[in-house]
Amino acid sequence: MASKIYPDAASALDGLLFNGMSIAAGGFGLCGIPETLIDALVAAGTKDITAVSNNAGVDDFGLGKLLDRRQIRKMISSYVGENKEFERQFLAGELEIEFSPQGTLAERMRAGGAGIPGFYTRTGVGTALAEGKPTMDFEGETFVLERGIVTDIAIVKAWKADPFGNLMFRKSARNFNPMVATCGRITIAEAEEIVSPGELEPDLIHTPSVFVQRVILATCNEKRIEKMTVSDRETLS
Amino acid sequence: MSNQITGWTRDQMAARAAAELHDGYYANLGIGIPTLVANHIAPDIDITLQSENGMLGLGPFPDEIDVDADIINAGKQTITELPRTSYCSSADSFGMIRGGHIQLSVLGAMEVAENGDLANWMVPGKMVKGPGGAMDLVAGVKRIIVLMDHVSKNGTPKFRKSCTLPLTGTNVVDMIISNLAVFERPDRQSPFVLRELAPGATREAIAALTEAHYLEELS
């Protein structure tokens, strides 16, 4: 079997990008985001993207880079609070937002990747986010139907990858990445380290290779910290 | 009115909430004052804190030298591991929450209604940041404690007959710890009961500063 490793982010995205496409991206805040692939999307200039990501980055980092260049038309997210340019575009009507509760968003991507078109959850019942969605009662309780998500491509940040596309994530940088990896028609992973075949312990692989079509060595590993907190300060706020 | 009452400080409110944590609990603490609850857990009580970004067993904030960008809590603050720590995906993390495996969550609130409805995610006319994991937490965690100021900045009661702000969940709050009083209810079919008064707070003052209907059973 041919290696899935591509020489760089641009070549790994080659032939996959078109205006109006949907892209799922891993990460929570700025933790575990595919920095290298985001930079390549900026360089490619793809427009009218529907981005599925828990957050929208900050103004000059993460998906915020794509927002700054007006490459995103719609976000499907649970929380977008740290981005001023996002706010400006949204209030100006240039950007559409679909809020999904965080656990519902994770499950929508998991379901989409697992071939499940929809599922029922209690989350959001009776709130604005359930308006217009079908409901069903189970054992006397009301649940709302949420749809699975499948995207044109998915981009994830891994800690280690092998040439087959097996992935391991690191600590809380795992977050949304495993579900994102499953929900793309084509999934591209950037890894901090690419190891030789057989080097990953099979029992410790988080994302099996079948979900990953292309792999690159991550060249951007800034891992910016959003809220540095150390032990002599109790809280930031 | 309320400014004549000493009331509880944020730390005292957090300490009161910490008294609700029982040995062996798995708990999720929200962003803001609820995070302070961790500082007040009694040493003989063993609690495992969950963070919805996929970390179970949260340690304290790190020393500067130990900061790791890949170890953050749901407030995006850098934290540390404990011997018990495990990581999981966001889907598994919300499986813990939605599946009822987390015993207690402490959250902030903009408004709580007398029927237990909670509003804490958006104010119409202001930029909406999104609910994050709050809707999932209140829908899935068995017991929900709200920490909030008793009245808003302009003096409006926050414990109301019904919420005026968009809801986070319906009939989900079990206990309210405000800076002036503690309200609790035994189950989600029962009305709230005023249980405790903060220093300087009287029954009359609480009645004047509360719109919701409640019972009184002060010890």
Side-chain angles (χ1 to χ4, degrees), chain A residues 125-169:
Chain A
V125 169
T127 76
L129 297 193
E131 269 169 28
K133 295 174 183 169
T135 60
M136 176 102 95
D137 286 5
F138 297 89
E139 277 102 42
E141 250 195 292
T142 303
F143 293 73
V144 60
L145 179 66
E146 294 280 2
R147 299 294 306 273
I149 292 175
V150 176
T151 56
D152 293 314
I153 66 167
I155 55 175
V156 298
K157 177 72 165 238
W159 176 38
K160 293 181 180 181
D162 68 16
F164 306 106
N166 290 308
L167 306 180
M168 279 178 70
F169 305 99

Side-chain angles (χ1 to χ4, degrees), chain A residues 28 54-55 77-80 99-106 121-124 129 176, chain B residues 28-31 50-53 74-76 90 93-98 102 105-108 118 120-121 129-141 144 168-169:
Chain A
F28 179 92
N54 187 54
N55 309 98
S77 303
S78 88
Y79 187 83
V80 295
F99 282 122
S100 203
Q102 193 175 138
T104 297
L105 182 62
T121 176
R122 201 165 94 84
T123 304
L129 297 193
F176 278 81
Chain B
N28 182 298
L29 303 178
I31 295 160
Q50 195 250 18
S51 196
E52 61 266 28
N53 56 318
K76 290 143 190 166
S90 298
S93 176
F94 281 94
M96 296 173 194
I97 290 166
R98 199 189 305 103
I102 305 293
S105 183
V106 184
L107 298 167
L118 170 70
N120 75 350
W121 77 283
K129 297 180 171 186
M135 287 190 181
D136 311 271
L137 282 162
V138 300
V141 174
I144 302 292
T168 307

Side-chain angles (χ1 to χ4, degrees), chain A residues 170-172 223 231 234, chain B residues 61 63 68 70 78 81 129:
Chain A
R170 185 171 178 272
K171 303 186 183 291
S172 63
K223 297 193 183 187
S231 55
E234 304 266 282
Chain B
F61 295 136
D63 292 329
D68 184 331
D70 289 338
T78 46
E81 295 173 346
K129 297 180 171 186

Side-chain angles (χ1 to χ4, degrees), chain A residues 188-209:
Chain A
I188 308 110
E190 61 172 83
E192 290 178 53
E193 187 184 346
I194 294 180
V195 302
S196 304
E199 217 176 294
L200 295 181
E201 175 62 43
D203 267 335
L204 300 182
I205 289 168
H206 296 128
T207 292
S209 63

